[in-house]
Amino acid sequence: MQLIFKSMSELKVIPMRPRGKDEPPPPNSNFNGQAEVTDAIDPIALKQEHEQRKSEQQERIEDTERETLIGMLRQMILIRRFEEKSAEGYSLGKIGGFCHLYIGQEAVAVGAMAALRPDDYLLTSYRDHGHAIAKGMSAEEVMAELYGKAGGCSAGKGGSMHLFDGDINFLGGHGIVGGQIPLATGVAFATKYKGTDQVTLCFFGEAAVNQGAFHESLNMAQLWKLPCIYVCENNQYGMGTSLERAMSLQDVSQKACAYDIASEFVDGMDVLAVRDAVGRAVKRARESSLPSLLEIRTYRFMGHSMSDPGNYRTRAEIEKHQERDPVKLFTQNLKEKNLIADAQLADIEKSVREEVERTVQFAEQSPEPAPEELYTHVYSTVSSEQ
Amino acid sequence: MAVITMREALNQAMREEMQRDGNIFLMGEEVAAYQGAYKVSKGLLEEFGDKRVIDSPITELGFAGLGVGAAMAGLRPVIEFMTFNFSILATDQIINSAAKMLYMSGGQFKIPIVFRGPNGSAYQVSSQHSQAMESWYAHFPGLKVVMPSTPADAKGLLKSAIRDDDPVIFLEQERMYGIKGEVPDEEDFTIPLGQADIKREGTDATIVARSLTVPLALKAAEELEKMGVSCEVIDPRTIRPLDIKTIIESVKKTNRVVVAEESHSFCGVGAEISAQIAEQAFDYLDAPVRRISGADAPMPYAKNLEKLALPDVEKIVAAVREVAYLD
């Protein structure tokens, strides 16, 4: 399956419309008549579309401060290198359990966070390393958590899937598909209740859209006008099951119309497109206390988790998507716009590699949790040992 | 002391706590405009407004999770399940989110939430609306489970549950909302979680009962008294944390135990109490611990079968006579 973006839509409410008696159902892959998913790929059309996407990103680059752009690039590179190091740590047996990498999806977390205020809330799924780093969590504490060390952001009790940092309102990686969606709805409920203007960003994969939790949450969010932004990172596979094998109506963004919620389809390989789309949703949430649903189309270059053999998709398919590698795309555009030179890029790579090395050193040196930690934090006030 | 119903006691507890702390809100199906399916939230909408007393759609997983999220962000939700039968839909959020959040965040996120509502059997509502859920929730570390049997306990324990910083499963009993009892008038009356109450002192046998079976056990004790058997009736009131110490002290005195519960026996709370007695007071037992539980079958509709499925005074009396080797 390949994806062709014809054009992007602005954030809006798609009105529900009863289908005429003789009218055929819309093709599953149509998004608002504008984007199309098709198996039969026309290489020329695809190339043209990529060119168009590229020029759109260049336009966005022109509208953005150089320092901001370089900062975003560095974050994307940091997440990429961090994840590569995580894979290495996993292979060495330093990291255990489930480890879900974010490689390929970096533009989503970095773009989204660029539209947030530091005090805004974020919840995500178990594929959470990238969001945590983008939100501002110490990469050292993230790595220490993956290592199961006391210096980890969750004291070594959560692991890869359960990163938390209350100081930056990072309310967790959550391990049950879709489980974070009602939670995020509740966080947004709380901010509205308390009268703050914080917004809550909730990330989930497209497979979570099939869960009841998604539908129950969107219903409540619009019913009570909660400032929650539901960000579906559509990486096109729920573990090893492709979107079209799992979802009857594959346009996730269109599902918002069932709840009268504004939605938008976004190119998740363009970090600035993500920033702008999330920015529009943030404005809606902050100023009007309204929810939004964003479907951000992306692709993970690695397996579902480190133990994924990946035999459900072809190498060619992955390579096709890698042509629009978000880090590469952004780097090229910045270069073409003369905003970054090779030497500076090398400096960024070098400083990122050093930073990632420091995370490993920190994790290695951090002690294991003390045995008595087994029974702490079961309850807030008493030990669970009876 | 005022004599009020269980329903009024619960209502007072919520009202007083909501007056005390603006971060407490009540959410659930029919809790606001309808005043509660069992009228436990009567008058709260009028007093606190629709910001704090909120009718939810029929979406148990959704509003249970919303409550947990709100608790993460600093509120103190009281989430009402119309009955705990429906909490089954919400168990992912109760068990995977509420119970584990503090732990897996390394102590960062407390979840001060109360999930409350009626539990156990009602009158002729058949299998899906008549079941006791306490062993499910008591199984998981991270949750506290409370089961009051009197209006005073209901009020004092609910106030403590709302003030508690951990998630509390507060199980009321559908058949007991109308029972009356004295409730202390003092303004800040609370009962700490984790303390059993000796509902009746005795010397010959211990009956451990909770919720619906406490009045049954007391009635059985009265009848047994006439037969010359002095029974001690202990109500743990909180299943987790369980005040096993009070139970063990009683066993050391009476040497005979009957556990009475309306839930199924298999993997139940009675099984846990029996195991702990065996572990901690084996040498004091003069007879095996006997359990009187709900039938090991789904609850039937027919009135005669429903009666057979539930514990009653006669069954408890017979069990005590059995452990006392009177028959």
Side-chain angles (χ1 to χ4, degrees):
Chain A
M1 188 201 78
Q2 296 299 337
L3 175 71
I4 295 186
F5 303 93
K6 289 276 166 55
S7 75
M8 306 273 279
S9 66
E10 292 290 295
L11 187 65
K12 64 184 171 190
V13 178
I14 305 165
M16 284 283 276
R17 168 178 82 84
R19 186 162 14 114
K21 204 174 156 204
D22 302 319
E23 192 182 341
N28 278 352
S29 51
N30 261 6
F31 167 68
N32 205 21
Q34 291 177 331
E36 196 177 33
V37 180
T38 172
D39 286 326
I41 192 83
D42 173 358
I44 298 167
L46 186 66
K47 192 160 184 293
Q48 283 172 347
E49 189 218 325
H50 287 178
E51 287 304 317
Q52 189 196 328
R53 297 271 137 178
K54 196 173 163 182
S55 67
E56 283 177 14
Q57 189 177 68
Q58 292 197 350
E59 282 167 28
R60 293 191 181 95
I61 284 174
E62 286 166 12
D63 295 337
T64 310
E65 295 275 333
R66 179 173 177 276
E67 200 180 325
T68 306
L69 295 165
I70 303 298
M72 291 171 86
L73 177 67
R74 190 184 185 283
Q75 277 214 306
M76 288 168 73
I77 295 173
L78 173 62
I79 293 169
R80 176 70 56 93
R81 301 290 168 252
F82 181 92
E83 293 293 63
E84 288 165 358
K85 192 53 87 175
S86 301
E88 194 182 311
Y90 193 89
S91 306
L92 292 170
K94 301 278 188 185
I95 298 170
F98 297 135
C99 188
H100 309 86
L101 301 182
Y102 200 59
I103 292 174
Q105 301 182 213
E106 297 90 342
V108 184
V110 172
M113 246 55 81
L116 286 190
R117 229 167 48 191
D119 65 334
D120 288 332
Y121 287 96
L122 190 154
L123 293 90
T124 183
S125 72
Y126 43 78
R127 195 179 303 285
D128 56 353
H129 313 167
H131 303 109
I133 291 170
K135 186 80 169 78
M137 206 189 287
S138 140
E140 294 179 352
E141 289 185 16
V142 177
M143 188 61 86
E145 189 61 32
L146 304 192
Y147 271 58
K149 296 297 188 71
C153 59
S154 305
K157 289 179 168 177
S160 163
M161 297 187 287
H162 305 300
L163 307 174
F164 286 87
D165 188 345
D167 292 340
I168 58 166
N169 286 345
F170 187 89
L171 270 52
H174 299 271
I176 307 299
V177 171
Q180 72 276 24
I181 308 177
L183 296 174
T185 309
V187 174
F189 175 91
T191 58
K192 183 166 185 176
Y193 188 98
K194 292 195 272 192
T196 78
D197 68 344
Q198 291 155 293
V199 306
T200 302
L201 210 53
C202 179
F203 291 91
F204 47 90
E206 84 288 347
V209 170
N210 293 329
Q211 290 275 33
F214 168 83
H215 297 276
E216 295 189 24
S217 296
L218 263 66
N219 183 51
M220 292 189 295
Q222 178 66 1
L223 192 64
W224 296 324
K225 307 284 186 279
L226 304 180
C228 194
I229 301 163
Y230 300 95
V231 181
C232 174
E233 288 190 66
N234 185 350
N235 66 18
Q236 307 173 47
Y237 286 90
M239 202 166 161
T241 304
S242 65
L243 179 60
E244 55 268 40
R245 288 177 59 218
M247 199 179 283
S248 54
L249 174 77
Q250 291 152 23
D251 285 313
V252 171
S253 59
Q254 211 167 42
K255 290 169 199 280
C257 72
Y259 305 101
D260 201 25
I261 287 180
S263 69
E264 191 165 336
F265 182 93
V266 188
D267 175 9
M269 295 308 194
D270 179 347
V271 65
L272 298 177
V274 173
R275 179 201 60 183
D276 291 355
V278 174
R280 288 187 285 273
V282 165
K283 188 172 186 313
R284 232 175 112 76
R286 193 152 2 251
E287 293 175 7
S288 314
S289 189
L290 286 169
S292 303
L293 171 66
L294 302 178
E295 177 188 1
I296 304 189
R297 192 65 76 103
T298 180
Y299 196 82
R300 62 172 154 73
F301 297 161
M302 308 292 280
H304 166 73
S305 69
M306 285 302 294
S307 53
D308 178 357
N311 52 13
Y312 48 85
R313 56 183 186 176
T314 61
R315 190 70 233 160
E317 179 185 311
I318 299 170
E319 281 166 5
K320 187 54 83 183
H321 284 280
Q322 281 173 332
E323 287 173 18
R324 296 192 73 241
D325 180 324
V327 181
K328 224 163 71 180
L329 188 74
F330 193 41
T331 308
Q332 274 170 2
N333 277 334
L334 291 175
K335 275 187 182 174
E336 285 179 25
K337 286 278 162 192
N338 292 320
L339 290 165
I340 193 164
D342 283 341
Q344 196 186 358
L345 196 59
D347 285 347
I348 291 175
E349 280 285 357
K350 184 165 175 284
S351 82
V352 163
R353 282 181 194 282
E354 285 165 2
E355 185 174 345
V356 171
E357 275 312 315
R358 281 197 301 275
T359 70
V360 173
Q361 284 164 19
F362 179 83
E364 291 279 2
Q365 286 163 12
S366 177
E368 289 181 333
E372 55 270 25
E373 289 298 320
L374 177 61
Y375 289 112
T376 61
H377 307 136
V378 179
Y379 295 99
S380 60
T381 44
V382 297
S383 163
S384 80
E385 276 183 308
Q386 290 170 357
Chain B
M1 284 200 285
V3 174
I4 60 172
T5 63
M6 181 83 94
R7 171 184 288 115
E8 288 164 334
L10 294 163
N11 181 278
Q12 282 183 8
M14 284 197 286
R15 185 187 303 275
E16 288 172 16
E17 291 307 298
M18 288 180 78
Q19 286 167 348
R20 190 183 54 77
D21 184 349
N23 282 331
I24 299 167
F25 70 92
L26 172 67
M27 179 180 280
E29 293 152 10
E30 310 289 4
V31 298
Y34 195 90
Q35 311 269 317
Y38 294 89
K39 299 287 176 275
V40 174
S41 53
K42 192 175 173 189
L44 298 184
L45 173 65
E46 194 184 7
E47 180 168 348
F48 299 105
D50 60 5
K51 181 187 166 191
R52 299 183 63 194
V53 182
I54 304 144
D55 278 327
S56 75
I58 300 175
T59 189
E60 284 86 4
L61 174 71
F63 68 75
L66 182 148
V68 179
M72 289 182 85
L75 299 186
R76 305 185 76 87
V78 177
I79 300 294
E80 176 174 315
F81 291 117
M82 190 184 285
T83 81
F84 260 87
N85 301 288
F86 315 145
S87 77
I88 293 172
L89 288 154
T91 44
D92 176 48
Q93 289 298 341
I94 298 172
I95 294 168
N96 277 319
S97 295
K100 298 168 179 25
M101 201 70 74
L102 181 70
Y103 195 80
M104 64 187 187
S105 68
Q108 293 184 72
F109 290 97
K110 292 176 182 173
I111 308 296
I113 192 170
V114 175
F115 295 102
R116 51 156 289 274
N119 174 64
S121 62
Y123 298 101
Q124 276 198 281
V125 289
S126 190
S127 306
Q128 294 179 335
H129 287 75
S130 260
Q131 53 200 329
M133 302 295 301
E134 60 266 29
S135 69
W136 277 43
Y137 296 115
H139 186 65
F140 291 98
L143 298 177
K144 295 178 176 173
V145 180
V146 180
M147 297 181 80
S149 68
T150 67
D153 287 353
K155 182 173 181 183
L157 289 165
L158 183 53
K159 284 169 71 89
S160 293
I162 292 171
R163 294 179 191 190
D164 201 278
D165 278 341
D166 294 316
V168 179
I169 308 294
F170 195 93
L171 302 168
E172 299 149 19
Q173 216 296 340
E174 222 162 313
R175 295 169 184 246
M176 295 174 84
Y177 281 126
I179 68 161
K180 288 185 175 170
E182 288 186 333
V183 175
D185 297 320
E186 65 198 82
E187 207 168 276
D188 209 26
F189 165 66
T190 59
I191 296 171
L193 305 187
Q195 281 187 12
D197 187 37
I198 300 171
K199 295 293 186 197
R200 177 190 172 109
E201 290 195 9
T203 52
D204 301 332
T206 300
I207 308 173
V208 182
R210 58 184 188 274
S211 189
L212 182 71
T213 55
V214 173
L216 301 179
L218 289 169
K219 190 91 201 332
E222 272 176 39
E223 299 200 5
L224 286 156
E225 187 76 54
K226 293 176 205 157
M227 301 169 193
V229 183
S230 162
C231 289
E232 184 143 294
V233 176
I234 295 183
D235 178 359
R237 301 193 291 196
T238 309
I239 306 306
R240 209 190 238 268
L242 179 68
D243 180 3
I244 192 68
K245 193 164 160 277
T246 299
I247 296 170
I248 297 293
E249 287 308 310
S250 180
V251 173
K252 287 181 177 172
K253 182 170 67 174
T254 65
N255 314 112
R256 298 163 203 277
V257 191
V258 168
V259 181
E261 59 191 0
E262 67 166 315
S263 66
H264 303 302
S265 59
F266 195 88
C267 296
V269 173
E272 174 63 28
I273 291 170
S274 303
Q276 292 203 28
I277 291 169
E279 285 165 349
Q280 297 179 41
F282 182 79
D283 289 340
Y284 292 90
L285 287 174
D286 285 345
V289 176
R290 181 84 166 78
R291 283 178 288 161
I292 293 296
S293 309
D296 199 19
M299 183 64 79
Y301 165 73
K303 211 168 186 172
N304 66 321
L305 295 182
E306 184 185 71
K307 186 173 183 315
L308 283 174
L310 286 167
D312 59 23
V313 175
E314 292 71 33
K315 288 175 189 168
I316 297 169
V317 168
V320 172
R321 291 182 63 86
E322 194 183 315
V323 298
Y325 300 118
L326 289 175
D327 294 315

